[in-house]
Amino acid sequence: MTDRQPFPDAAALRARHREVLPAWLATYYRDPIELTHGEGRHVYDSAGNRYLDFFGGILTTMTAHALPEVAKAVAEQAGRILHTSTLYLSTPMVELAEQIAGLSGIPDAKVFFTTSGTEANELALMLATTYRRSNQVLALRNSYHGRSFATIGVTGNSAWSPTALSPLQTLYVHGGVRAGGPFARLTDEQFTAACVADLEDLLGQAEGTVAALIAEPIQGVGGFTSGPDGLLAAFKEVLDRHGVLWISDEVQTGWGRTGDHFWGWQAHGQAGPPDVLTFAKGIANGMSMGGVVARPEVMDCLSANSISTFGGSPITCVAALANLRHLLEHDLQGNAKRVGAVLREELAAGVGPTVELRGRGLMLGLGLRDAQTATDTLEHARALGLLIGKGGRRGDALRIAPPLSLTATEAREGAGLLVEALRRAGA
Ligand code: PLP
């Protein structure tokens, strides 16, 4: 294991970054790196160091870096036409919408494309509040749904809430963090019952109509935490009784990443699909695409016009179609399940008893003692040639989310590097 070379011009680039970009735009690492190219599950920095990529640019390189099918589709489309807008018909947009509607599990679903997860959740909240004629919404504690006013208004994580201003009136429910909070010591069954009782109590106290519950099946920024399987199904029974819609934020959990399921909501599928589902990140392998899938009466409830100039552009849609085809034809969900199990096993055998192993498939998290240990581990991992992510309300979690084509050999290699990084950080 050789430590990485420093990037010679990094200090100058970092100074320019600081000068012209916002102070709150944080970069990883004491000496931030610039990634210049990638291949498969590996990326290279501008000093020529090679890293095994266990974070995929925040779960966004879904299949592989420089996937030839995506590169070819983008290049060919770029040579024809880059942009047309939603004012004109588009075969790639309609084809992609048909495929995603079919995969969503929502009957007769309709799809709207955006350019980010934030914008997707923004629309989901607008649809739900318009459909239900109420601005009251429920969200999980420790949640993250984006950076805009409405989405920050449903973010239960103070580290990611720069403003308290919000168009929504939000009530936060328990259930997102199994190993923390007042119900942590309960069994799974008791935990679910306590969270359902909390939800019932909250709905009983809410004045007037509640529009929706928005929830991540596994909380991403929150540190890959979740409630027990079936919790959201138990919630749905209560929500259905009150006519409250369920929005499943699948920005991190979609497309088979969790291995057991194509969507995160399917771990809670007993009560049927959500009313609204949002996606982004991985679908176009790094091209800027998000979207909303909804029951037709919910999607069509807006009475005024609405567009996204860039949403569903031909270039992003052809990338997404090629990426999705590759994912399905190569059963990368099955790979996430198989290789995720290898990774989990290696980590379980290598990490100490104070480390909490979370998540499923190729969405695995490590809950550490404190934020400093997480920062130190991140730093040591980079030095060893492994990129991982951080998370958690207190910054005390590590996030592992490699491209879904990860091989078992790479999983073992990465786990070995991570265990060594944890050891060096004294975790
Ligand atoms: N929802 C979840 C669960 C996310 O993790 C994120 C981003 O990390 C978002 C929404 C916002 O997506 P974007 O950064 O594309 O706006």
Side-chain angles (χ1 to χ4, degrees):
M1 293 179 189
T2 53
D3 286 8
R4 310 284 101 176
Q5 296 303 308
F7 159 41
D9 299 324
L13 187 58
R14 191 181 181 195
R16 286 168 60 198
H17 182 284
R18 276 209 187 120
E19 197 65 36
V20 74
L21 296 169
W24 39 261
L25 193 65
T27 47
Y28 274 170
Y29 309 118
R30 192 183 53 240
D31 298 319
I33 54 175
E34 180 182 21
L35 300 179
T36 52
H37 56 292
E39 191 182 12
R41 276 72 51 196
H42 288 88
V43 287
Y44 296 81
D45 71 15
S46 44
N49 295 307
R50 183 174 186 254
Y51 302 93
L52 183 56
D53 186 4
F54 268 20
F55 205 38
I58 326 180
L59 295 89
T60 300
T61 303
M62 176 167 85
T63 49
H65 287 282
L67 190 77
E69 297 96 302
V70 171
K72 182 167 177 281
V74 169
E76 286 178 1
Q77 184 63 45
R80 284 194 296 274
I81 190 164
L82 278 176
H83 173 76
T84 60
S85 89
T86 47
L87 297 177
Y88 308 101
L89 290 172
S90 162
T91 300
M93 186 196 279
V94 172
E95 255 180 47
L96 185 62
E98 286 168 349
Q99 290 191 25
I100 293 175
L103 289 165
S104 73
I106 299 176
D108 306 317
K110 289 196 164 189
V111 182
F112 180 78
F113 293 107
T114 66
T115 58
S116 70
T118 296
E119 208 194 331
N121 284 327
E122 193 73 25
L123 175 65
L125 291 163
M126 184 161 73
L127 291 175
T129 51
T130 305
Y131 186 75
R132 294 279 293 156
R133 306 213 162 279
S134 162
N135 76 333
Q136 277 201 76
V137 294
L138 305 169
L140 293 180
R141 294 169 182 201
N142 199 47
S143 57
Y144 180 80
H145 298 288
R147 51 169 291 279
S148 61
F149 263 130
T151 56
I152 283 171
V154 289
T155 291
N157 180 334
S158 55
W160 293 92
S161 304
T163 177
L165 295 177
S166 174
L168 302 169
Q169 197 191 347
T170 304
L171 303 166
Y172 288 96
V173 297
H174 286 288
V177 184
R178 179 66 186 90
F183 306 146
R185 289 179 195 282
L186 304 180
T187 64
D188 279 359
E189 218 168 279
Q190 291 166 339
F191 181 95
T192 298
C195 294
V196 168
D198 171 60
L199 175 66
E200 295 261 23
D201 184 51
L202 213 56
L203 285 172
Q205 290 182 37
E207 278 178 32
T209 306
V210 171
L213 166 77
I214 183 163
E216 301 156 86
I218 298 176
Q219 296 185 321
V221 171
F224 291 2
T225 53
S226 64
D229 284 1
L231 173 72
L232 297 174
F235 276 4
K236 188 171 180 337
E237 281 178 21
V238 179
L239 299 176
D240 282 350
R241 249 189 286 126
H242 292 263
V244 177
L245 302 179
W246 171 23
I247 303 168
S248 189
D249 179 340
E250 301 278 351
V251 166
Q252 298 213 7
T253 46
W255 319 109
R257 175 163 292 283
T258 63
D260 292 329
H261 308 102
F262 195 75
W263 304 107
W265 70 259
Q266 288 167 326
H268 312 266
Q270 305 91 318
D275 302 285
V276 181
L277 177 157
T278 58
F279 62 86
K281 292 210 189 281
I283 176 62
N285 221 30
M287 295 293 281
S288 187
M289 170 172 282
V292 180
V293 191
R295 282 170 28 206
E297 65 276 24
V298 177
M299 183 65 89
D300 290 338
C301 78
L302 302 184
S303 55
N305 291 316
S306 192
I307 64 160
S308 166
T309 299
F310 293 119
S313 71
I315 193 102
T316 55
C317 285
V318 296
L321 282 166
N323 200 37
L324 189 55
R325 191 177 314 120
H326 181 90
L327 177 100
L328 297 172
E329 283 178 358
H330 294 80
D331 184 26
L332 294 190
Q333 178 188 334
N335 193 63
K337 188 176 163 93
R338 280 186 302 277
V339 178
V342 173
L343 188 53
R344 176 177 268 276
E345 209 170 287
E346 296 280 320
L347 289 173
V351 301
T354 56
V355 176
E356 181 202 340
L357 195 47
R358 306 168 178 160
R360 67 208 305 167
L362 286 175
M363 186 173 182
L364 296 176
L366 300 177
L368 303 182
R369 194 172 55 234
D370 53 32
Q372 191 57 52
T373 314
T375 302
D376 291 348
T377 309
L378 198 84
E379 207 61 65
H380 286 299
R382 185 205 67 80
L384 291 164
L386 177 72
L387 301 188
I388 51 174
K390 260 196 313 183
R393 193 158 59 84
R394 286 176 290 271
D396 55 1
L398 295 173
R399 293 192 282 165
I400 302 158
L404 300 183
S405 56
L406 189 77
T407 66
T409 306
E410 290 163 342
R412 287 192 192 94
E413 182 197 339
L417 296 174
L418 184 49
V419 168
E420 172 60 15
L422 287 161
R423 193 192 63 74
R424 290 187 185 188

Short mmCIF file of all heavy atoms in Angstrom, two decimals, residues 311-351:
data_model
loop_
_atom_site.label_atom_id
_atom_site.label_comp_id
_atom_site.label_asym_id
_atom_site.label_seq_id
_atom_site.Cartn_x
_atom_site.Cartn_y
_atom_site.Cartn_z
N GLY A 311 -35.01 20.20 -18.14
CA GLY A 311 -35.44 18.88 -17.68
C GLY A 311 -35.79 17.96 -18.84
O GLY A 311 -36.57 18.33 -19.71
N GLY A 312 -35.23 16.76 -18.84
CA GLY A 312 -35.56 15.79 -19.89
C GLY A 312 -34.98 16.15 -21.24
O GLY A 312 -35.52 15.75 -22.28
N SER A 313 -33.87 16.89 -21.26
CA SER A 313 -33.26 17.27 -22.55
C SER A 313 -32.81 16.00 -23.28
O SER A 313 -32.54 14.97 -22.64
CB SER A 313 -32.06 18.18 -22.32
OG SER A 313 -31.01 17.43 -21.76
N PRO A 314 -32.73 16.07 -24.61
CA PRO A 314 -32.35 14.86 -25.37
C PRO A 314 -31.02 14.27 -24.90
O PRO A 314 -30.88 13.05 -24.79
CB PRO A 314 -32.24 15.35 -26.81
CG PRO A 314 -32.92 16.66 -26.86
CD PRO A 314 -33.00 17.22 -25.47
N ILE A 315 -30.08 15.12 -24.56
CA ILE A 315 -28.74 14.62 -24.21
C ILE A 315 -28.78 13.85 -22.88
O ILE A 315 -28.13 12.82 -22.73
CB ILE A 315 -27.70 15.79 -24.18
CG1 ILE A 315 -26.28 15.26 -24.14
CG2 ILE A 315 -27.90 16.76 -23.06
CD1 ILE A 315 -25.59 15.31 -25.45
N THR A 316 -29.57 14.34 -21.91
CA THR A 316 -29.64 13.61 -20.64
C THR A 316 -30.48 12.34 -20.79
O THR A 316 -30.17 11.31 -20.19
CB THR A 316 -30.22 14.49 -19.50
OG1 THR A 316 -31.48 15.00 -19.91
CG2 THR A 316 -29.29 15.62 -19.15
N CYS A 317 -31.52 12.43 -21.61
CA CYS A 317 -32.39 11.25 -21.77
C CYS A 317 -31.68 10.11 -22.50
O CYS A 317 -31.84 8.95 -22.12
CB CYS A 317 -33.68 11.63 -22.50
SG CYS A 317 -34.83 12.53 -21.47
N VAL A 318 -30.88 10.41 -23.53
CA VAL A 318 -30.18 9.30 -24.21
C VAL A 318 -29.14 8.68 -23.27
O VAL A 318 -28.92 7.47 -23.28
CB VAL A 318 -29.53 9.71 -25.56
CG1 VAL A 318 -30.58 10.14 -26.57
CG2 VAL A 318 -28.44 10.75 -25.39
N ALA A 319 -28.52 9.53 -22.43
CA ALA A 319 -27.56 8.99 -21.45
C ALA A 319 -28.29 8.07 -20.48
O ALA A 319 -27.83 6.96 -20.17
CB ALA A 319 -26.89 10.13 -20.69
N ALA A 320 -29.44 8.52 -20.00
CA ALA A 320 -30.21 7.72 -19.04
C ALA A 320 -30.70 6.42 -19.67
O ALA A 320 -30.64 5.35 -19.03
CB ALA A 320 -31.39 8.53 -18.51
N LEU A 321 -31.16 6.49 -20.92
CA LEU A 321 -31.64 5.26 -21.59
C LEU A 321 -30.51 4.24 -21.73
O LEU A 321 -30.70 3.05 -21.45
CB LEU A 321 -32.21 5.61 -22.98
CG LEU A 321 -33.61 6.23 -22.99
CD1 LEU A 321 -33.92 6.85 -24.34
CD2 LEU A 321 -34.68 5.18 -22.64
N ALA A 322 -29.33 4.71 -22.13
CA ALA A 322 -28.19 3.79 -22.29
C ALA A 322 -27.75 3.23 -20.95
O ALA A 322 -27.43 2.04 -20.82
CB ALA A 322 -27.03 4.53 -22.96
N ASN A 323 -27.76 4.07 -19.95
CA ASN A 323 -27.32 3.67 -18.61
C ASN A 323 -28.29 2.65 -18.00
O ASN A 323 -27.89 1.63 -17.43
CB ASN A 323 -27.24 4.93 -17.74
CG ASN A 323 -26.38 4.75 -16.52
OD1 ASN A 323 -25.36 4.08 -16.57
ND2 ASN A 323 -26.79 5.35 -15.41
N LEU A 324 -29.58 2.94 -18.15
CA LEU A 324 -30.61 2.06 -17.61
C LEU A 324 -30.60 0.70 -18.33
O LEU A 324 -30.72 -0.35 -17.69
CB LEU A 324 -31.98 2.75 -17.76
CG LEU A 324 -33.18 2.11 -17.08
CD1 LEU A 324 -32.94 1.92 -15.59
CD2 LEU A 324 -34.43 2.99 -17.29
N ARG A 325 -30.41 0.74 -19.65
CA ARG A 325 -30.34 -0.51 -20.41
C ARG A 325 -29.18 -1.36 -19.91
O ARG A 325 -29.32 -2.56 -19.67
CB ARG A 325 -30.18 -0.21 -21.91
CG ARG A 325 -30.37 -1.44 -22.80
CD ARG A 325 -30.27 -1.12 -24.30
NE ARG A 325 -31.04 0.06 -24.67
CZ ARG A 325 -30.52 1.15 -25.22
NH1 ARG A 325 -29.24 1.24 -25.48
NH2 ARG A 325 -31.28 2.19 -25.54
N HIS A 326 -28.04 -0.74 -19.71
CA HIS A 326 -26.86 -1.46 -19.21
C HIS A 326 -27.15 -2.06 -17.83
O HIS A 326 -26.85 -3.23 -17.57
CB HIS A 326 -25.66 -0.51 -19.14
CG HIS A 326 -24.41 -1.17 -18.67
ND1 HIS A 326 -23.50 -1.76 -19.52
CD2 HIS A 326 -23.94 -1.40 -17.42
CE1 HIS A 326 -22.52 -2.30 -18.83
NE2 HIS A 326 -22.75 -2.09 -17.54
N LEU A 327 -27.76 -1.24 -16.98
CA LEU A 327 -28.07 -1.69 -15.61
C LEU A 327 -28.96 -2.92 -15.62
O LEU A 327 -28.70 -3.91 -14.93
CB LEU A 327 -28.78 -0.55 -14.87
CG LEU A 327 -29.25 -0.86 -13.45
CD1 LEU A 327 -28.25 -0.27 -12.46
CD2 LEU A 327 -30.63 -0.28 -13.16
N LEU A 328 -30.02 -2.88 -16.48
CA LEU A 328 -31.00 -3.98 -16.49
C LEU A 328 -30.41 -5.21 -17.18
O LEU A 328 -30.56 -6.33 -16.69
CB LEU A 328 -32.29 -3.53 -17.19
CG LEU A 328 -33.03 -2.39 -16.47
CD1 LEU A 328 -34.20 -1.88 -17.32
CD2 LEU A 328 -33.55 -2.83 -15.10
N GLU A 329 -29.72 -4.99 -18.31
CA GLU A 329 -29.18 -6.14 -19.06
C GLU A 329 -28.09 -6.88 -18.28
O GLU A 329 -27.90 -8.07 -18.44
CB GLU A 329 -28.63 -5.68 -20.43
CG GLU A 329 -29.76 -5.42 -21.42
CD GLU A 329 -29.26 -4.91 -22.77
OE1 GLU A 329 -28.03 -4.72 -22.93
OE2 GLU A 329 -30.12 -4.68 -23.66
N HIS A 330 -27.37 -6.14 -17.42
CA HIS A 330 -26.29 -6.77 -16.64
C HIS A 330 -26.72 -7.09 -15.22
O HIS A 330 -25.88 -7.44 -14.39
CB HIS A 330 -25.04 -5.88 -16.65
CG HIS A 330 -24.42 -5.75 -18.00
ND1 HIS A 330 -24.91 -4.89 -18.96
CD2 HIS A 330 -23.38 -6.40 -18.56
CE1 HIS A 330 -24.18 -5.01 -20.06
NE2 HIS A 330 -23.25 -5.92 -19.85
N ASP A 331 -27.99 -6.97 -14.95
CA ASP A 331 -28.54 -7.24 -13.61
C ASP A 331 -27.65 -6.65 -12.52
O ASP A 331 -27.18 -7.36 -11.62
CB ASP A 331 -28.71 -8.76 -13.40
CG ASP A 331 -29.37 -9.05 -12.04
OD1 ASP A 331 -30.11 -8.17 -11.53
OD2 ASP A 331 -29.15 -10.15 -11.48
N LEU A 332 -27.46 -5.35 -12.58
CA LEU A 332 -26.60 -4.72 -11.58
C LEU A 332 -27.26 -4.68 -10.19
O LEU A 332 -26.57 -4.56 -9.18
CB LEU A 332 -26.15 -3.33 -12.03
CG LEU A 332 -25.24 -3.32 -13.26
CD1 LEU A 332 -24.64 -1.93 -13.48
CD2 LEU A 332 -24.11 -4.35 -13.18
N GLN A 333 -28.58 -4.80 -10.17
CA GLN A 333 -29.23 -4.95 -8.84
C GLN A 333 -28.76 -6.25 -8.19
O GLN A 333 -28.39 -6.29 -7.01
CB GLN A 333 -30.75 -4.95 -8.98
CG GLN A 333 -31.44 -5.13 -7.64
CD GLN A 333 -32.95 -5.34 -7.75
OE1 GLN A 333 -33.58 -4.91 -8.71
NE2 GLN A 333 -33.53 -6.02 -6.78
N GLY A 334 -28.77 -7.33 -9.00
CA GLY A 334 -28.28 -8.63 -8.49
C GLY A 334 -26.82 -8.53 -8.07
O GLY A 334 -26.41 -9.09 -7.05
N ASN A 335 -26.04 -7.77 -8.86
CA ASN A 335 -24.62 -7.60 -8.51
C ASN A 335 -24.48 -6.83 -7.19
O ASN A 335 -23.64 -7.18 -6.34
CB ASN A 335 -23.89 -6.85 -9.64
CG ASN A 335 -22.38 -6.91 -9.48
OD1 ASN A 335 -21.79 -7.99 -9.52
ND2 ASN A 335 -21.76 -5.76 -9.24
N ALA A 336 -25.33 -5.80 -7.02
CA ALA A 336 -25.29 -5.02 -5.76
C ALA A 336 -25.58 -5.93 -4.58
O ALA A 336 -24.98 -5.81 -3.51
CB ALA A 336 -26.29 -3.87 -5.82
N LYS A 337 -26.50 -6.88 -4.78
CA LYS A 337 -26.85 -7.80 -3.69
C LYS A 337 -25.68 -8.74 -3.38
O LYS A 337 -25.28 -8.89 -2.23
CB LYS A 337 -28.10 -8.59 -4.09
CG LYS A 337 -28.69 -9.43 -2.98
CD LYS A 337 -29.97 -10.09 -3.49
CE LYS A 337 -30.39 -11.24 -2.60
NZ LYS A 337 -31.32 -10.86 -1.57
N ARG A 338 -25.13 -9.34 -4.46
CA ARG A 338 -24.05 -10.33 -4.27
C ARG A 338 -22.77 -9.67 -3.76
O ARG A 338 -22.20 -10.08 -2.74
CB ARG A 338 -23.74 -11.02 -5.61
CG ARG A 338 -24.71 -12.12 -6.00
CD ARG A 338 -24.22 -12.83 -7.27
NE ARG A 338 -24.05 -11.92 -8.40
CZ ARG A 338 -25.04 -11.54 -9.21
NH1 ARG A 338 -26.26 -11.97 -9.01
NH2 ARG A 338 -24.82 -10.72 -10.23
N VAL A 339 -22.34 -8.62 -4.46
CA VAL A 339 -21.06 -8.00 -4.09
C VAL A 339 -21.21 -7.17 -2.81
O VAL A 339 -20.29 -7.09 -1.99
CB VAL A 339 -20.51 -7.15 -5.27
CG1 VAL A 339 -19.22 -6.46 -4.91
CG2 VAL A 339 -20.30 -8.06 -6.48
N GLY A 340 -22.42 -6.62 -2.62
CA GLY A 340 -22.69 -5.91 -1.36
C GLY A 340 -22.54 -6.85 -0.17
O GLY A 340 -22.04 -6.46 0.88
N ALA A 341 -22.96 -8.11 -0.36
CA ALA A 341 -22.84 -9.09 0.73
C ALA A 341 -21.37 -9.37 1.04
O ALA A 341 -20.97 -9.51 2.21
CB ALA A 341 -23.59 -10.37 0.36
N VAL A 342 -20.56 -9.46 -0.03
CA VAL A 342 -19.11 -9.68 0.16
C VAL A 342 -18.51 -8.52 0.94
O VAL A 342 -17.78 -8.70 1.92
CB VAL A 342 -18.39 -9.82 -1.21
CG1 VAL A 342 -16.88 -9.88 -1.05
CG2 VAL A 342 -18.93 -11.04 -1.97
N LEU A 343 -18.86 -7.32 0.51
CA LEU A 343 -18.33 -6.11 1.15
C LEU A 343 -18.74 -6.03 2.61
O LEU A 343 -17.92 -5.76 3.51
CB LEU A 343 -18.85 -4.88 0.37
CG LEU A 343 -18.29 -3.51 0.71
CD1 LEU A 343 -16.77 -3.50 0.65
CD2 LEU A 343 -18.85 -2.48 -0.29
N ARG A 344 -20.01 -6.31 2.86
CA ARG A 344 -20.51 -6.26 4.24
C ARG A 344 -19.79 -7.28 5.12
O ARG A 344 -19.38 -6.98 6.24
CB ARG A 344 -22.03 -6.52 4.24
CG ARG A 344 -22.63 -6.58 5.63
CD ARG A 344 -24.14 -6.77 5.55
NE ARG A 344 -24.85 -5.52 5.56
CZ ARG A 344 -25.19 -4.86 6.66
NH1 ARG A 344 -24.85 -5.32 7.85
NH2 ARG A 344 -25.86 -3.73 6.61
N GLU A 345 -19.62 -8.47 4.55
CA GLU A 345 -18.95 -9.55 5.30
C GLU A 345 -17.51 -9.16 5.66
O GLU A 345 -17.07 -9.31 6.80
CB GLU A 345 -18.92 -10.79 4.42
CG GLU A 345 -18.94 -12.11 5.15
CD GLU A 345 -19.14 -13.23 4.14
OE1 GLU A 345 -20.28 -13.39 3.64
OE2 GLU A 345 -18.15 -13.90 3.83
N GLU A 346 -16.80 -8.62 4.66
CA GLU A 346 -15.40 -8.22 4.89
C GLU A 346 -15.32 -7.11 5.93
O GLU A 346 -14.44 -7.11 6.79
CB GLU A 346 -14.77 -7.72 3.58
CG GLU A 346 -14.66 -8.76 2.50
CD GLU A 346 -13.46 -9.68 2.70
OE1 GLU A 346 -12.39 -9.19 3.09
OE2 GLU A 346 -13.61 -10.91 2.49
N LEU A 347 -16.25 -6.15 5.83
CA LEU A 347 -16.23 -5.04 6.79
C LEU A 347 -16.59 -5.54 8.18
O LEU A 347 -15.96 -5.17 9.17
CB LEU A 347 -17.19 -3.93 6.34
CG LEU A 347 -16.74 -3.14 5.11
CD1 LEU A 347 -17.83 -2.18 4.65
CD2 LEU A 347 -15.46 -2.35 5.41
N ALA A 348 -17.62 -6.39 8.24
CA ALA A 348 -18.06 -6.90 9.55
C ALA A 348 -16.91 -7.63 10.24
O ALA A 348 -16.74 -7.53 11.46
CB ALA A 348 -19.26 -7.82 9.37
N ALA A 349 -16.11 -8.35 9.43
CA ALA A 349 -15.00 -9.11 10.02
C ALA A 349 -13.85 -8.18 10.43
O ALA A 349 -13.10 -8.49 11.36
CB ALA A 349 -14.49 -10.14 9.01
N GLY A 350 -13.73 -7.02 9.75
CA GLY A 350 -12.55 -6.18 9.96
C GLY A 350 -12.73 -5.02 10.91
O GLY A 350 -11.75 -4.54 11.48
N VAL A 351 -13.97 -4.53 11.09
CA VAL A 351 -14.14 -3.33 11.92
C VAL A 351 -14.31 -3.70 13.38
O VAL A 351 -14.74 -4.81 13.71
CB VAL A 351 -15.34 -2.45 11.45
CG1 VAL A 351 -15.16 -2.01 10.02
CG2 VAL A 351 -16.67 -3.17 11.66
#
